[in-house]
Amino acid sequence: MRRREFILALGGAAACPFAVHAQQPAMPVIGLLSIRSADTDARLLMPFRQGLSEGGFAEGRNVAIEYRYAQGQPGRLPALAADLIRRQVSLIVTTGGAQAALAAKAATTTIPIVFTVGADPVGAGIVKSLNRPGGNLTGVTTSYDEAAPKRLGLLREILPRAAVIGVLVNPNDPITANTETNDMRRAGRSIGQQIEILQAGTERDIEAAFARLIDMRADALVVAPDALFATQAHQLVALAARHAIPTLYWRRELVEAGGLMSYGSSLAEALRVVGVYAGRVLKGEKPGDLPVQQPTKFELVVNVKAAKGIGLTIPESFLARADEVIEADEVIE
């Protein structure tokens, strides 16, 4: 995969060497708050650590990290955030969506917070503005204004006769769910495409959503960005294959797990930038002075094996535009 760049002016003063007999300061501690699970985040956190290393920080050498996972249950986030506050961490990093960032924001106004979210952080009430977020927060958003029409357009390119397209959202994340619902309906109306919204907040709900897709004879499915859906990647991919429903995801990791295709920005790159920002904050920069970073590059990933498995032929002209074509699926560990 070609590396996707975010525009970021790297900086921060280098740490001054200590005198030989000077008392060494306590090792800073980063509290990492994720709505996902440890298993889901294991691979994703590698670029975060890379970003930290670019600022001269290495876990276990000169920075410690305390991990807190909500296991896909948003209701656990406030207690986990409070636990990190009691631990007196130097910095909180949140990942997995706006709910994690909002839980951290509600827990402290003094400890710096660096987030990655898939929603508009201004609209979600996380920061005041992108250029000067203010307060004790900054971070990265992977959202962009034209996501809905672009994803819908890609599906219609390979399925020009699609009558009904479903959109799967998680009602437990109302910020993202409402945004995706409104954006997809608006995009559908603009081109005369029937859009049906399906909701799933649990593993069982996902099964029921696919049963409803079959009942309504939907021709395709768009899966909205959500931590639950990332955690249940294999379930989603297996159901889409079993029912032969062409499905478009927001992240390449689901295509690597056997899904049909994805279009979106790189979460790995977003987390690398979060790591860079975390290093800068640890060196003394104020989060509120660091602009929230936005994606500037996007990738289309197509899994040809998945297409063949559901009897779908993807035009060569479409494949030629893809950033990556996967011939054989790679399972997410």
Side-chain angles (χ1 to χ4, degrees):
M1 180 188 83
R2 297 198 304 272
R3 179 167 166 165
R4 301 303 183 195
E5 297 294 340
F6 282 71
I7 300 174
L8 178 63
L10 299 181
C16 297
F18 292 97
V20 174
H21 298 293
Q23 182 178 0
Q24 295 297 318
M27 182 182 294
V29 179
I30 296 174
L32 191 140
L33 179 64
S34 173
I35 196 172
R36 296 182 291 258
S37 67
D39 289 342
T40 303
D41 274 359
R43 179 178 176 184
L44 297 176
L45 291 179
M46 293 173 62
F48 167 68
R49 296 188 184 97
Q50 177 190 341
L52 276 176
S53 70
E54 292 177 26
F57 292 95
E59 184 179 6
R61 179 169 61 84
N62 58 357
V63 67
I65 303 179
E66 289 278 340
Y67 299 91
R68 299 292 184 273
Y69 297 101
Q71 305 292 335
Q73 302 176 46
R76 297 184 59 194
L77 289 169
L80 294 173
D83 184 48
L84 290 174
I85 303 303
R86 287 191 296 270
R87 176 69 175 78
Q88 296 184 330
V89 296
S90 311
L91 165 72
I92 296 176
V93 169
T94 73
T95 182
Q99 289 170 299
L102 289 170
K105 180 181 180 179
T108 179
T109 58
T110 57
I111 297 176
I113 299 168
V114 181
F115 58 78
T116 174
V117 297
D120 170 16
V122 176
I126 299 171
V127 296
K128 296 178 180 178
S129 75
L130 297 181
N131 289 333
R132 292 191 66 83
N136 60 324
L137 296 95
T138 190
V140 177
T141 175
T142 59
S143 71
Y144 52 101
D145 293 338
E146 298 302 316
K150 181 64 177 181
R151 289 177 178 140
L152 190 56
L154 288 170
L155 270 179
R156 283 172 59 92
E157 279 192 60
I158 62 173
L159 298 164
R161 297 182 180 179
V164 179
I165 295 179
V167 178
L168 183 64
V169 301
N170 183 353
N172 295 329
D173 183 358
I175 294 173
T176 302
N178 291 338
T179 299
E180 289 290 323
T181 295
N182 294 333
D183 288 352
M184 289 299 295
R185 281 178 172 164
R186 188 180 304 112
R189 285 195 300 268
S190 69
I191 57 175
Q193 175 67 62
Q194 182 178 344
I195 300 294
E196 294 292 337
I197 305 299
L198 303 103
Q199 297 186 340
T202 66
E203 181 178 348
R204 181 176 296 179
D205 289 345
I206 293 175
E207 296 275 354
F210 271 85
R212 187 182 167 204
L213 270 177
I214 301 305
D215 289 342
M216 68 175 58
R217 298 183 179 180
D219 299 290
L221 174 67
V222 175
V223 177
D226 186 76
L228 171 68
F229 300 153
T231 301
Q232 296 300 126
H234 294 290
Q235 180 191 17
L236 285 166
V237 167
L239 286 168
R242 183 189 310 162
H243 298 295
I245 299 177
T247 303
L248 187 148
Y249 305 91
W250 78 102
R251 268 178 33 192
R252 65 172 292 122
E253 287 81 7
L254 285 93
V255 181
E256 292 173 349
L260 176 62
M261 66 180 185
S262 66
Y263 181 80
S265 57
S266 170
L267 179 60
E269 180 62 8
L271 287 168
R272 185 193 69 82
V273 174
V274 166
V276 172
Y277 260 11
R280 292 176 64 173
V281 171
L282 289 176
K283 289 180 178 180
E285 295 192 55
K286 295 180 179 180
D289 294 336
L290 299 174
V292 174
Q293 297 298 311
Q294 302 175 78
T296 58
K297 300 291 184 180
F298 309 93
E299 58 183 5
L300 171 63
V301 182
V302 181
N303 189 324
V304 173
K305 181 178 179 180
K308 292 178 180 177
I310 61 175
L312 178 64
T313 300
I314 298 180
E316 288 297 326
S317 59
F318 188 92
L319 294 176
R321 288 164 36 216
D323 294 275
E324 184 170 350
V325 176
I326 298 176
E327 299 290 344
D329 47 15
E330 304 167 31
V331 177
I332 295 177
E333 297 295 338

